[in-house]
């Protein structure tokens, strides 16, 4: 959040004291700034010293390279690596101190444990700060800091490594410090975070998602600090902060398990590169290394390299192939996974017919091979054959009393592979549909090329036949926009990543009408998962969320009470009049204090057409499926590409009955409207969509 203050807008924001009635806090901040300056100077001196040591060592090695014996050169290279490592660590300390100087802390709690004579002050910030062996600032992830989020004044407690600590919260203050200066301070016996939250939400958008440590709500804190769940599923309405919560949970887990979990062990699956860029700053802002961001395309490309080609996913809104849509729908349910599982269960008897194996005087019977084949049932088919080949080789070695030649395991494997009736996964995948009695459900767009809807079913079968490249490095997987992925995709993920998972999204924001799976089916795949719902929306004003709730019919959606302008629905005489009015809105935006405006159209092609028209007159960016970066200013994009993003102002053109008429279209319009933080305008010519029948319209 941490957004730029706005002026001249019709939003009701809590009045925060303009003068600071806390002289003790002003004095404390001055003291803290001095200590931070001292620590930063020490850190800076250390960096300079190490830089000099590194340069001297490099110069010595260069000057005497011909005279130094190999052993000394090796020792010097090791020393150089050690200096480099220490230097990187010192730079990291200096960078954290620089960030702390900008805003050292955001909260203070005074906690008195049961049995103690008085309460102890604790200041909470992004990072811990220790000076002269005294802990001056707590990391927001520290156990004791959890009380700031979970309790009001009165009885309180927290779970420490030594056990539960109970006591009393005597004081709770919150601060906004910028450039080392105290902008405001609040103290109250009620939830002071509400005031600060509304103040932060009233700011304009940022080019990158920001940390929310100063405004984490109690229910969000419970999710972030849950370190027990093997798998966590978060169903959150639009604007509930679910992605930010997931990233803060990663930051917490990296802190909590720093001895066995690093950023290299975490991956997030995000819907597109633009969204990946938008969220890239959250973890670095919290002092952690950025984590790897991947897509399902990346996974498929890695797993199928050299095996088979595949085509990208078609836009379902711009594809009129009914047969193709039927195939996609068939492969999008959990029943489809069950069908493949049934086929895989029968696979050993369908494709493997053992025969006697003989090499000279050595032999094993077909029955022996068959028994070994089924004994290795937990392995892929081809892996079983490798294991049997090794068993046969070892058996021949054990009975080779005459020291005769015996076949190598690779030679034996070649004979065992010949016993397979099917030689590769594609032939097997084709056979699966014949086994189903529906061979028409598999259509290859080109030779040796899969349609996107067949990529993960193919991979699932490939895993059973030959095996997948499993990831031992990744220990935590974050899956965002969970509603847009099919059960078979999750089934493949579970074969590749045997690790803790945080799965999040909103089944009210599905973008593919051919995906028929439900939350209940996802929960069936993760029967042991912790399931949580987030129903409060923080992104948009009360008026925008109430408007969107009426469109989307999302009964559980709870708006944050932050008032602003009513959304406008504008009727235009024709398409040209609509374009002229949009241009007028863009001109108004350029004169306003807002920093981002999104023009959101239904399809990718419609977004491209609008961009081509407007780019002649405006400095504007087109967020397409090929884009990799999000920036402030005016953006034109599709509903698909706007997922997860937010804009100060949103314009939704062409909301006519011709464009938005089905139940699925209702969901798309809901997504578009909920991208707006402060201002929302919808345009149409002709007959408006019936989803807007309850809303006041203005004619132009």
């Amino acid at each position: 959040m941490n957004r730029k203050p706005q002026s001249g807008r019709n939003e009701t924001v809590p009045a925060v004291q303009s003068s600071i009635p806390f002289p003790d806090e002003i004095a404390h901040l001055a003291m803290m700034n001095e200590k931070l300056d001292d620590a930063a100077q020490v850190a800076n001196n250390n960096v300079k010293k190490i830089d000099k040591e590194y340069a001297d060592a490099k110069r010595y090695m260069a000057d005497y390279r011909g005279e130094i014996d190999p052993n000394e050169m090796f020792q010097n290279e090791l020393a150089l690596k050690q200096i480099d490592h220490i230097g990187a660590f010192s730079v990291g300390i200096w960078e954290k101190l620089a960030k702390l100087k900008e805003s050292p802390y955001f909260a203070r709690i005074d906690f008195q444990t049961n049995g103690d004579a008085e309460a102890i002050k604790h200041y909470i910030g992004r990072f811990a700060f220790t000076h002269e062996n005294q802990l001056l600032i707590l990391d927001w992830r520290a156990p004791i800091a959890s009380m700031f989020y979970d309790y009001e004044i009165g009885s309180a407690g927290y779970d420490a490594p030594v056990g539960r600590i109970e006591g009393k919260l005597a004081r709770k203050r919150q601060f906004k410090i910028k450039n080392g200066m105290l902008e405001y301070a609040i103290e109250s016996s009620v939830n002071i975070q509400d005031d600060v939250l509304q103040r932060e939400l009233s700011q304009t958008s940022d080019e990158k998602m920001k940390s929310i440590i100063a405004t984490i709500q109690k229910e969000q804190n419970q999710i972030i600090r849950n370190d027990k769940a093997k798998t966590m599923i978060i169903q959150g309405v639009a604007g509930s902060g679910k992605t930010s919560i997931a990233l803060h949970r990663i930051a917490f887990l990296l802190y909590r398990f720093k001895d066995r979990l690093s950023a290299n062990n975490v991956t997030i699956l995000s819907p597109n590169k633009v969204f990946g860029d938008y969220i890239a700053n959250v973890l670095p802002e919290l002092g952690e290394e950025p984590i790897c961001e991947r897509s399902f395309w990346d996974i498929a490309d890695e797993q199928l390299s050299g095996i088979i080609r595949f085509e990208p996913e078609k836009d379902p809104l711009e594809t009129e192939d009914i047969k193709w849509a039927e195939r996609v729908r068939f492969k999008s349910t959990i029943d489809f996974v069950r069908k493949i599982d049934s086929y895989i269960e029968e696979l050993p008897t369908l494709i493997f017919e053992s025969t006697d194996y003989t090499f000279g005087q050595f032999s094993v019977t077909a029955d022996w091979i068959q028994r070994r084949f089924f004994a290795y049932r937990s392995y892929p088919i081809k892996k079983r054959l490798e294991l049997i080949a090794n068993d046969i080789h070892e058996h021949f070695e054990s009975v080779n009393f005459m020291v005769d030649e015996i076949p190598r395991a690779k030679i034996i494997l070649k004979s065992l592979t010949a016993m397979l009736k099917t030689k590769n996964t594609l032939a097997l995948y084709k056979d699966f549909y014949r086994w189903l009695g529906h061979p028409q459900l598999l259509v290859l767009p080109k030779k040796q090329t899969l349609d996107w809807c067949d990529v993960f079913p193919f991979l699932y079968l490939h895993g059973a036949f030959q095996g997948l490249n499993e990831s031992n490095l990744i220990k935590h997987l974050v899956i965002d926009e969970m509603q847009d992925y099919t059960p078979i995709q999750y089934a493949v993920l579970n074969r590749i990543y045997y690790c803790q998972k945080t799965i999040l999204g909103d089944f009210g924001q599905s973008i593919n009408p051919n995906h028929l799976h439900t939350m209940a089916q996802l929960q069936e795949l993760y029967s042991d998962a912790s399931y949580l719902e987030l129903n409060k929306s923080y992104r948009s004003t009360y008026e925008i969320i109430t408007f969107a709730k009426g469109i989307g019919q999302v009964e559980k959606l709870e708006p944050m009470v932050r008032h602003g302008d009513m959304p406008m629905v504008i009727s235009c005489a024709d398409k040209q009049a609509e374009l002229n009015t949009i241009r007028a809105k863009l001109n108004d935006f350029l004169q306003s204090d807002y920093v981002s405006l999104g023009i959101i159209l239904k399809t990718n092609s419609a977004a491209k057409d609008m961009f081509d028209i407007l780019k002649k007159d405006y400095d504007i960016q087109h967020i397409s499926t090929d884009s990799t970066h999000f920036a402030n200013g005016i953006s034109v994009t599709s509903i698909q590409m706007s997922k997860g993003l937010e804009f100060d102002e949103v314009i939704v053109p062409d909301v006519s009955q011709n464009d938005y008429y089905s139940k699925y279209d209702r969901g798309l319009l809901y997504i578009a409207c909920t991208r707006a933080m402060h201002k929302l305008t919808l345009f149409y010519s002709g007959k408006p969509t019936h989803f807007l029948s309850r809303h006041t319209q203005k004619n132009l």
Side-chain angles (χ1 to χ4, degrees), residues 636-653:
V636 179
T637 190
S638 65
I639 292 172
Q640 174 196 350
M641 294 302 299
S642 73
K643 294 279 288 295
L645 303 179
E646 60 185 25
F647 303 90
D648 292 322
E649 182 175 352
V650 164
I651 290 173
V652 188

Side-chain angles (χ1 to χ4, degrees), residues 245-421:
I245 291 167
L247 293 172
H248 283 70
R249 183 176 186 231
I250 293 303
F252 174 78
L253 294 174
L254 290 171
Y255 172 88
R256 174 75 174 80
F257 301 110
K258 60 173 72 75
D259 56 332
R260 59 181 188 268
L261 186 70
S262 71
N264 290 333
N265 304 132
V266 183
T267 287
I268 181 167
L269 285 178
S270 58
N272 55 65
K273 299 297 182 184
V274 175
F275 183 71
D277 175 65
Y278 180 61
I279 66 174
N281 272 15
V282 174
L283 285 170
E285 192 177 277
L286 295 172
E288 301 294 347
E289 294 295 320
I291 60 175
C292 176
E293 179 262 326
R294 309 194 74 201
S295 66
F296 274 90
W297 176 277
D298 295 330
I299 291 173
D301 192 43
E302 177 186 283
Q303 296 286 334
L304 294 178
S305 177
I307 296 171
I308 195 168
R309 296 182 298 273
F310 56 91
E311 292 195 341
E313 185 174 17
K314 297 176 184 176
D315 188 339
L317 300 180
E318 300 181 304
T319 305
E320 297 180 356
D321 187 338
I322 296 174
K323 294 293 184 182
W324 168 83
E326 289 175 353
R327 294 194 297 273
V328 175
R329 284 195 290 271
F330 180 81
K331 298 165 190 178
S332 74
T333 66
I334 198 166
D335 187 54
F336 178 66
V337 179
R338 296 191 189 107
K339 284 178 167 58
I340 295 188
D341 281 336
S342 296
Y343 178 71
I344 290 172
E345 189 71 25
E346 292 186 27
L347 200 55
T349 56
L350 290 174
I351 70 166
F352 186 67
E353 187 174 344
S354 61
T355 59
D356 294 344
Y357 176 76
T358 301
F359 186 90
Q361 64 171 328
F362 305 105
S363 67
V364 290
T365 65
D367 182 59
W368 186 91
I369 293 173
Q370 191 78 4
R371 288 200 308 272
R372 299 305 298 160
F373 186 77
F374 283 98
Y376 289 125
R377 62 172 53 88
S378 62
Y379 293 93
I381 299 293
K382 287 197 168 183
K383 181 63 177 176
R384 297 190 205 187
L385 299 184
E386 290 178 19
L387 293 168
I388 295 169
N390 289 331
D391 289 346
I392 292 174
H393 179 76
E394 290 176 5
H395 171 67
F396 286 172
E397 278 191 327
S398 68
V399 298
N400 186 16
F401 304 115
M402 303 299 292
V403 196
D404 291 331
E405 181 187 1
I406 59 173
R408 289 180 289 113
K410 285 186 177 181
I411 299 298
I412 301 171
L413 178 60
K414 189 173 181 180
S415 296
L416 293 176
T417 303
M419 298 176 194
L420 289 173
K421 298 177 182 177

Side-chain angles (χ1 to χ4, degrees), residues 610-633:
M610 180 66 77
F611 171 73
D612 288 340
I613 292 170
L614 295 176
K615 70 180 181 181
K616 302 167 187 175
D617 304 312
Y618 298 93
D619 181 10
I620 193 169
Q621 69 166 332
H622 177 212
I623 303 177
S624 70
T625 54
D626 296 324
S627 300
T628 59
H629 177 66
F630 177 80
N632 280 333

Side-chain angles (χ1 to χ4, degrees), residues 435-630:
W435 176 84
L436 275 179
H438 297 289
Q440 77 282 1
L441 290 174
L442 175 62
V443 175
L444 301 183
K446 299 174 188 173
K447 186 179 180 181
Q448 292 291 308
T449 304
L450 296 172
D451 192 37
W452 179 254
C453 68
D454 288 304
V455 169
F456 282 85
F458 179 94
L459 270 174
Y460 193 62
L461 204 52
H462 188 68
F465 182 60
Q466 189 164 314
L468 298 173
N469 299 320
E470 298 173 6
S471 174
N472 296 316
L473 175 66
I474 301 305
K475 298 178 182 178
H476 196 108
L477 180 67
V478 180
I479 306 170
D480 205 352
E481 301 294 350
M482 63 184 179
Q483 71 280 357
D484 294 333
Y485 313 128
T486 62
I488 194 67
Q489 288 178 297
Y490 283 104
V492 171
L493 283 184
N494 293 339
R495 296 287 178 89
I496 298 173
Y497 299 101
Y498 293 93
C499 64
Q500 192 179 40
K501 297 179 179 70
T502 301
I503 305 172
L504 58 139
D506 180 11
F507 271 82
Q509 297 186 64
S510 296
I511 58 169
N512 195 323
N514 299 317
H515 287 181
L516 306 180
H517 59 293
T518 63
M519 171 59 81
Q521 292 179 344
L522 179 60
Q523 289 178 279
E524 187 176 329
L525 282 169
Y526 297 98
S527 56
D528 61 342
S530 297
Y531 174 75
L532 303 106
E533 285 189 6
L534 296 171
N535 294 317
K536 195 163 190 175
S537 181
Y538 300 97
R539 174 187 297 136
S540 312
T541 62
Y542 179 89
E543 287 74 17
I544 291 172
I545 287 298
T546 303
F547 178 89
K549 182 176 181 178
I551 291 173
Q553 295 186 330
V554 185
E555 294 302 321
K556 292 185 176 181
L557 178 60
E558 302 171 20
M560 176 80 181
V561 182
R562 176 174 64 87
H563 290 291
D565 295 336
M566 287 294 298
M568 295 179 65
V569 181
I570 298 177
S571 172
C572 301
D574 51 34
K575 293 289 185 182
Q576 188 56 51
E578 188 172 336
L579 272 173
N580 292 339
T581 312
I582 288 174
R583 285 191 174 95
K585 284 288 181 185
L586 297 185
N587 293 333
D588 290 342
F589 163 76
L590 293 172
Q591 298 302 314
S592 75
D593 292 323
Y594 292 131
V595 297
S596 65
L597 180 147
I599 305 174
I600 304 177
L601 293 106
K602 185 177 179 181
T603 65
N604 289 310
S605 63
K608 178 64 166 61
D609 291 343
M610 180 66 77
F611 171 73
D612 288 340
I613 292 170
L614 295 176
K615 70 180 181 181
K616 302 167 187 175
D617 304 312
Y618 298 93
D619 181 10
I620 193 169
Q621 69 166 332
H622 177 212
I623 303 177
S624 70
T625 54
D626 296 324
S627 300
T628 59
H629 177 66
F630 177 80

Side-chain angles (χ1 to χ4, degrees), residues 109 111 143-152 156-158 169 172:
I109 55 173
F111 181 62
I144 192 171
S146 66
M147 291 189 294
F148 170 72
Y149 303 108
D150 291 341
Y151 292 98
E152 304 310 323
Y158 65 96
L169 205 59
K172 187 174 178 180

